[in-house]
Amino acid sequence: MNLQSPLIIINFKTYLESSGKRALELATQVEKASKETGVCMVVVPQAIDIAKIAQTVEIPVFAQHSDPIKPGNSTGHMLIEALKEAGAVGTLINHSERQLRLIDIETTITLCKEQKFVSCVCANNPLVSAAVAALNPDITSMEPPELIGTGISVSKAKPEVITDTARLVSQVNPKMPLLCGAGISTAEDVTIALKLGTQGVLVASGIVKAKDPYEVLVGFAEATNKAQSA
Ligand code: G3P
C-alpha cells in the first residue's frame, strides 16, 4: 500500500477512550479529518477492534504489533495473515511498550514484505533508529520512551535527538520515511518535527485524550500542509 507523506499515525494503545465502540467513533473522526485536509492519517487500534474499524472507515488501519511467526502452532500471537484478513494493511513493530529482539524485528519485517504488509518499526534513540533503518522497513519511528504519554513533546524537549536521528537514518536508508513521536500534542509540535527532518508523527495521548480529537487532528494536518507549501 502506498502511504503518502507527510503521515500522521494515531496509536490507540489500550486507552478506554480508544477501545471498543469508542475506538470506532475515534477512527471515524480521524477519517473525517483526513478526508477534509487531504493529509494521510493511519489508525492503530487494538487487534480486537481492527475488523470493525476496517469495515467502517476507508483510511489505512495498522496493527499495534505483529509476531515473527508463520501460520501454525503458535498461541497468543499476532499472525500477519490474520491481521490482514481482518482489514489491517500494516503494523507497528517494536513499539517501546511491545519490544522485540533484533532477530524478531528482522523476521517480522521480512514476513511483512512477503505479505505486502506495511512495516513501521519503532526505535528509542538515533542509533537504534539507524540500526532499524538498515533492516529496510517501510517506515521508522523514533520515540524517546521517557517522553511517551507525558504531553512534553520530543519536538520541544529533545529537538537534537530528532535531528541526529534524521541525519543517521538518511545515511543508512535515505528514501525511508522517518517519523517521530512522544508527547506530540500541538500543531507546533508537528511543525517542528517536520522542520527537523521527519516525514510525519506517531501520536497517541495527544489525540486519544483530547476533548475534541477531530479539531486537534485538523490542526496537525494544517501544520503539515503549511510545512509542505513552505
Ligand atoms: O505510539 C505513539 C506513542 O508511543 C507516543 O505516545 O501518548 O506520547 O503520543 P504519546
Short mmCIF file of all heavy atoms in Angstrom, two decimals, residues 11 13 15 95-97 143-154 181-185 202-209:
data_model
loop_
_atom_site.label_atom_id
_atom_site.label_comp_id
_atom_site.label_asym_id
_atom_site.label_seq_id
_atom_site.Cartn_x
_atom_site.Cartn_y
_atom_site.Cartn_z
N ASN A 11 -1.84 6.01 17.30
CA ASN A 11 -1.82 4.75 18.04
C ASN A 11 -2.90 4.81 19.13
O ASN A 11 -2.83 5.65 20.03
CB ASN A 11 -0.42 4.57 18.64
CG ASN A 11 -0.27 3.26 19.38
OD1 ASN A 11 -1.21 2.48 19.49
ND2 ASN A 11 0.93 3.02 19.89
N LYS A 13 -3.43 2.57 21.39
CA LYS A 13 -2.92 1.87 22.59
C LYS A 13 -4.05 1.11 23.28
O LYS A 13 -4.91 0.54 22.60
CB LYS A 13 -2.25 2.88 23.53
CG LYS A 13 -1.04 3.56 22.86
CD LYS A 13 -0.05 4.15 23.82
CE LYS A 13 1.15 4.68 23.05
NZ LYS A 13 2.17 5.25 23.90
N TYR A 15 -6.05 2.63 25.74
CA TYR A 15 -6.88 3.59 26.47
C TYR A 15 -8.35 3.21 26.32
O TYR A 15 -8.78 2.77 25.25
CB TYR A 15 -6.67 4.99 25.90
CG TYR A 15 -5.31 5.59 26.17
CD1 TYR A 15 -4.41 5.81 25.15
CD2 TYR A 15 -4.93 5.94 27.47
CE1 TYR A 15 -3.15 6.37 25.39
CE2 TYR A 15 -3.69 6.50 27.72
CZ TYR A 15 -2.81 6.71 26.68
OH TYR A 15 -1.58 7.26 26.94
N HIS A 95 7.33 -1.42 19.19
CA HIS A 95 6.96 -0.23 19.96
C HIS A 95 7.60 -0.33 21.35
O HIS A 95 7.78 -1.43 21.88
CB HIS A 95 5.43 -0.12 20.08
CG HIS A 95 5.00 1.20 20.64
ND1 HIS A 95 5.01 1.46 21.99
CD2 HIS A 95 4.59 2.34 20.04
CE1 HIS A 95 4.62 2.70 22.18
NE2 HIS A 95 4.35 3.26 21.03
N SER A 96 7.93 0.80 21.95
CA SER A 96 8.56 0.81 23.28
C SER A 96 7.77 -0.01 24.30
O SER A 96 8.34 -0.51 25.26
CB SER A 96 8.58 2.22 23.84
OG SER A 96 9.61 2.93 23.30
N GLU A 97 6.46 -0.08 24.06
CA GLU A 97 5.62 -0.81 25.01
C GLU A 97 5.41 -2.27 24.57
O GLU A 97 4.63 -3.02 25.19
CB GLU A 97 4.27 -0.07 25.14
CG GLU A 97 4.46 1.29 25.81
CD GLU A 97 3.52 2.37 25.32
OE1 GLU A 97 2.57 2.07 24.57
OE2 GLU A 97 3.73 3.55 25.70
N GLU A 143 10.99 7.33 19.04
CA GLU A 143 10.25 7.86 20.20
C GLU A 143 11.07 7.69 21.47
O GLU A 143 11.29 6.55 21.90
CB GLU A 143 8.95 7.08 20.41
CG GLU A 143 8.06 6.96 19.22
CD GLU A 143 6.69 6.38 19.61
OE1 GLU A 143 6.59 5.61 20.58
OE2 GLU A 143 5.73 6.73 18.94
N PRO A 144 11.55 8.78 22.08
CA PRO A 144 12.23 8.63 23.38
C PRO A 144 11.20 8.17 24.43
O PRO A 144 10.23 8.89 24.70
CB PRO A 144 12.72 10.05 23.70
CG PRO A 144 12.61 10.82 22.42
CD PRO A 144 11.52 10.18 21.63
N PRO A 145 11.40 7.00 25.01
CA PRO A 145 10.38 6.41 25.89
C PRO A 145 10.01 7.29 27.08
O PRO A 145 8.86 7.30 27.53
CB PRO A 145 11.02 5.11 26.38
CG PRO A 145 12.23 4.90 25.58
CD PRO A 145 12.56 6.15 24.84
N GLU A 146 11.02 8.06 27.58
CA GLU A 146 10.76 8.85 28.79
C GLU A 146 9.75 9.97 28.54
O GLU A 146 9.20 10.54 29.49
CB GLU A 146 12.07 9.39 29.38
CG GLU A 146 12.84 10.38 28.51
CD GLU A 146 13.67 9.77 27.38
OE1 GLU A 146 13.54 8.55 27.13
OE2 GLU A 146 14.45 10.50 26.75
N LEU A 147 9.49 10.31 27.28
CA LEU A 147 8.53 11.39 26.98
C LEU A 147 7.16 10.86 26.57
O LEU A 147 6.19 11.63 26.46
CB LEU A 147 9.09 12.30 25.87
CG LEU A 147 10.35 13.09 26.22
CD1 LEU A 147 10.87 13.84 25.00
CD2 LEU A 147 10.09 14.08 27.36
N ILE A 148 7.07 9.56 26.35
CA ILE A 148 5.80 8.99 25.88
C ILE A 148 4.71 9.22 26.93
O ILE A 148 4.90 8.95 28.11
CB ILE A 148 5.96 7.48 25.58
CG1 ILE A 148 6.85 7.30 24.34
CG2 ILE A 148 4.61 6.81 25.37
CD1 ILE A 148 7.11 5.85 23.95
N GLY A 149 3.60 9.74 26.48
CA GLY A 149 2.44 9.93 27.35
C GLY A 149 2.55 11.08 28.33
O GLY A 149 1.71 11.25 29.20
N THR A 150 3.60 11.89 28.19
CA THR A 150 3.81 12.98 29.15
C THR A 150 3.18 14.30 28.71
O THR A 150 3.02 15.21 29.53
CB THR A 150 5.33 13.27 29.35
OG1 THR A 150 5.87 13.68 28.07
CG2 THR A 150 6.08 12.05 29.85
N GLY A 151 2.89 14.44 27.43
CA GLY A 151 2.44 15.74 26.91
C GLY A 151 3.59 16.70 26.70
O GLY A 151 3.41 17.82 26.22
N ILE A 152 4.80 16.26 27.06
CA ILE A 152 6.01 17.07 26.76
C ILE A 152 6.58 16.50 25.47
O ILE A 152 7.01 15.33 25.43
CB ILE A 152 7.05 16.96 27.90
CG1 ILE A 152 6.43 17.43 29.21
CG2 ILE A 152 8.32 17.72 27.57
CD1 ILE A 152 7.24 17.05 30.43
N SER A 153 6.57 17.32 24.42
CA SER A 153 6.88 16.74 23.11
C SER A 153 8.36 16.57 22.86
O SER A 153 9.19 17.40 23.29
CB SER A 153 6.27 17.60 22.00
OG SER A 153 7.00 18.80 21.88
N VAL A 154 8.68 15.52 22.13
CA VAL A 154 10.06 15.30 21.68
C VAL A 154 10.52 16.50 20.85
O VAL A 154 11.68 16.89 20.91
CB VAL A 154 10.16 13.96 20.90
CG1 VAL A 154 9.24 13.94 19.68
CG2 VAL A 154 11.58 13.65 20.46
N GLY A 181 7.82 10.53 17.55
CA GLY A 181 6.67 10.57 18.45
C GLY A 181 7.15 10.74 19.87
O GLY A 181 8.36 10.76 20.14
N ALA A 182 6.20 10.86 20.77
CA ALA A 182 6.35 11.02 22.22
C ALA A 182 5.95 12.44 22.60
O ALA A 182 6.64 13.41 22.25
CB ALA A 182 7.75 10.70 22.73
N GLY A 183 4.83 12.53 23.26
CA GLY A 183 4.35 13.80 23.79
C GLY A 183 3.82 14.78 22.76
O GLY A 183 3.50 15.92 23.12
N ILE A 184 3.72 14.37 21.51
CA ILE A 184 3.24 15.30 20.47
C ILE A 184 1.79 15.68 20.79
O ILE A 184 0.92 14.82 20.88
CB ILE A 184 3.30 14.63 19.07
CG1 ILE A 184 4.72 14.19 18.71
CG2 ILE A 184 2.67 15.53 18.00
CD1 ILE A 184 5.67 15.26 18.27
N SER A 185 1.52 16.96 20.99
CA SER A 185 0.15 17.35 21.33
C SER A 185 -0.35 18.62 20.65
O SER A 185 -1.54 18.89 20.68
CB SER A 185 -0.04 17.49 22.85
OG SER A 185 1.15 17.45 23.57
N LEU A 202 4.04 10.03 14.97
CA LEU A 202 3.30 8.90 15.57
C LEU A 202 2.80 9.42 16.91
O LEU A 202 3.61 9.82 17.76
CB LEU A 202 4.23 7.70 15.73
CG LEU A 202 3.72 6.46 16.44
CD1 LEU A 202 2.45 5.91 15.79
CD2 LEU A 202 4.78 5.36 16.43
N VAL A 203 1.50 9.44 17.11
CA VAL A 203 0.93 10.11 18.27
C VAL A 203 -0.13 9.23 18.92
O VAL A 203 -0.79 8.44 18.24
CB VAL A 203 0.34 11.48 17.85
CG1 VAL A 203 -0.67 11.34 16.73
CG2 VAL A 203 -0.27 12.23 19.01
N ALA A 204 -0.29 9.37 20.24
CA ALA A 204 -1.34 8.62 20.94
C ALA A 204 -2.14 9.57 21.82
O ALA A 204 -3.17 10.10 21.41
CB ALA A 204 -0.74 7.49 21.74
N SER A 205 -1.65 9.81 23.06
CA SER A 205 -2.47 10.51 24.05
C SER A 205 -2.94 11.89 23.61
O SER A 205 -4.04 12.32 23.97
CB SER A 205 -1.73 10.59 25.39
OG SER A 205 -0.45 11.12 25.21
N GLY A 206 -2.12 12.60 22.83
CA GLY A 206 -2.49 13.94 22.37
C GLY A 206 -3.78 13.94 21.56
O GLY A 206 -4.48 14.95 21.49
N ILE A 207 -4.10 12.80 20.96
CA ILE A 207 -5.35 12.68 20.20
C ILE A 207 -6.39 11.91 21.01
O ILE A 207 -7.51 12.37 21.20
CB ILE A 207 -5.09 11.94 18.85
CG1 ILE A 207 -4.08 12.71 18.01
CG2 ILE A 207 -6.40 11.70 18.11
CD1 ILE A 207 -4.48 14.13 17.64
N VAL A 208 -6.00 10.76 21.50
CA VAL A 208 -6.96 9.89 22.21
C VAL A 208 -7.58 10.60 23.40
O VAL A 208 -8.77 10.47 23.68
CB VAL A 208 -6.23 8.60 22.67
CG1 VAL A 208 -7.15 7.74 23.54
CG2 VAL A 208 -5.76 7.79 21.47
N LYS A 209 -6.76 11.38 24.13
CA LYS A 209 -7.25 12.04 25.35
C LYS A 209 -7.76 13.45 25.10
O LYS A 209 -8.18 14.12 26.05
CB LYS A 209 -6.10 12.11 26.37
CG LYS A 209 -5.58 10.77 26.84
CD LYS A 209 -6.31 10.41 28.09
CE LYS A 209 -5.78 9.14 28.73
NZ LYS A 209 -6.62 8.73 29.86
#
